[in-house]
Amino acid sequence: MRKYVSIVITTLFFFAFGFAEAQGYTFRVLVNKGQNKVKKAGASTAILLKTGAVLNANDRLIASKRAYIGLMHKTGKTLEVTTSGTKKVSDLEKKISTKTASVASRYAQFLSNKMNEKEKPGYRANLSKATGAAERGFSGDIKVLLPSDPEQSVTIEDKVIVTWETKEDIDVNAFIVTVYNIFDEEILKEEVQGNSLDLDFTQDKMQNEEGLYIIKVLAKTDIESTSGDEGIPIRRLTDEEAVQYQEGLKSLKSEVSGDSPLNKLIYASYYEENGLIVDALTVIEEAIRMNPDVEDFVVFKQDIIERNSIKIYEDEPVD
């Protein structure tokens, strides 16, 4: 009985702490493009705004010309600031719908926690220990940015975006992407300009009873530069497997539209927390395409890649 009471108290403390932390600010800065500043309540001068900073109701946001500031409210709802000038944070909050968004708030908090973790000293070293990153490397000339483990490289969506990177000494922009089924039969082959390919699993040629697809990429002008002989898998979950995610996703969609680039970060948090890394990377790539000049979206994508040991930055020292 004493053990049971202890568990209950610990659980209540955890939720209370999480709720208090979520309520400890008005907005968190998700994206920051431009020479923007913030004047904290009671301060005599403004300071440069940083991604990850928190804003309180009495602060003032100073947006520069051609600014793009993405704010996440404590409820999980997002707000874009694209006009220059000084704005009261309390006035910005009035633009947020008062409708309850409990599911969005949960994944906003997940995203906020990930941002806090990154700011801690030794983040990269701890990340390597947690993921075993130091034992794995970028072995091919072309790295497909998907989990190599079929148990992790799964999707519940009809469409995904596959992206890849090349080693620095590979100077090509045209690639041949081939998709195979589990029997090593070619089902799709496309020439691609750039480093991404959209896959639509609803197309007739992509129908696959096993739901398993093997992706291989090679440079058009240098056939020796490839992603490897084995390829990288993507597996579509069956309807029975996907049902465990549908209720949460339906609730999130009812609270947050997935049309804006900022809201795609909230969806990425949902996918990542639920182990759907392929889908998390897809929505982040969609955000990048919508705002290609906003570097913070690229940083969010790289964070997901690092946390899930998809690409190891062998050339960079560990903090």
Side-chain angles (χ1 to χ4, degrees), residues 187-206:
I187 58 177
L188 176 69
K189 187 173 186 177
E190 289 195 18
E191 180 179 328
V192 177
Q193 297 292 324
N195 289 54
S196 69
L197 175 66
D198 294 28
L199 292 180
D200 184 351
F201 298 120
T202 65
Q203 293 181 330
D204 290 342
K205 59 185 175 183
M206 295 293 287

Side-chain angles (χ1 to χ4, degrees), residues 114 123-136 152 272 303-313 318:
K114 292 299 181 184
Y123 167 79
R124 292 288 297 279
N126 293 331
L127 184 67
S128 295
K129 292 176 183 178
T131 62
E135 299 176 3
R136 300 175 55 195
Q152 296 179 329
E272 185 179 9
D303 287 345
I304 294 176
I305 288 169
E306 277 196 75
R307 285 195 294 267
N308 294 280
S309 300
I310 293 172
K311 175 186 173 185
I312 309 309
Y313 297 84
V318 175

Side-chain angles (χ1 to χ4, degrees), residues 52-190:
V54 296
L55 304 177
N56 296 311
N58 294 325
D59 297 340
R60 292 176 182 267
L61 185 65
I62 306 170
S64 64
K65 291 183 179 179
R66 294 182 293 277
Y68 182 91
I69 306 171
L71 302 177
M72 178 179 66
H73 191 250
K74 59 189 176 184
T75 61
K77 297 183 178 180
T78 60
L79 179 69
E80 293 177 323
V81 177
T82 57
T83 58
S84 61
T86 300
K87 306 156 195 309
K88 295 180 180 179
V89 172
S90 57
D91 289 341
L92 293 175
E93 187 176 25
K94 293 175 183 177
K95 298 180 180 182
I96 299 295
S97 169
T98 57
K99 182 181 177 181
T100 302
S102 57
V103 177
S105 179
R106 172 185 173 185
Y107 293 106
Q109 188 61 36
F110 175 84
L111 180 58
S112 180
N113 290 342
K114 292 299 181 184
M115 295 177 74
N116 283 339
E117 287 177 8
K118 190 177 180 182
E119 294 170 1
K120 294 178 181 178
Y123 167 79
R124 292 288 297 279
N126 293 331
L127 184 67
S128 295
K129 292 176 183 178
T131 62
E135 299 176 3
R136 300 175 55 195
F138 190 146
S139 59
D141 293 328
I142 300 172
K143 177 62 178 176
V144 179
L145 300 178
L146 293 171
S148 57
D149 184 348
E151 294 301 315
Q152 296 179 329
S153 191
V154 297
T155 175
I156 61 171
E157 300 295 349
D158 290 334
K159 299 178 181 181
V160 301
I161 301 175
V162 178
T163 62
W164 54 88
E165 293 184 357
T166 60
K167 287 188 173 179
E168 292 183 359
D169 58 345
I170 305 299
D171 185 19
V172 294
N173 194 47
F175 300 87
I176 304 297
V177 184
T178 309
V179 182
Y180 301 87
N181 61 21
I182 195 174
F183 304 109
D184 203 32
E185 298 169 338
E186 180 183 306
I187 58 177
L188 176 69
K189 187 173 186 177
E190 289 195 18

Side-chain angles (χ1 to χ4, degrees), residues 195-235:
N195 289 54
S196 69
L197 175 66
D198 294 28
L199 292 180
D200 184 351
F201 298 120
T202 65
Q203 293 181 330
D204 290 342
K205 59 185 175 183
M206 295 293 287
Q207 298 306 304
N208 184 336
E209 291 184 5
E210 293 75 22
L212 184 64
Y213 303 84
I214 308 298
I215 316 295
K216 297 182 182 181
V217 182
L218 62 84
K220 180 182 178 182
T221 56
D222 181 5
I223 60 175
E224 293 185 358
S225 297
T226 74
S227 58
D229 295 332
E230 294 184 0
I232 300 296
I234 296 179
R235 187 174 71 87

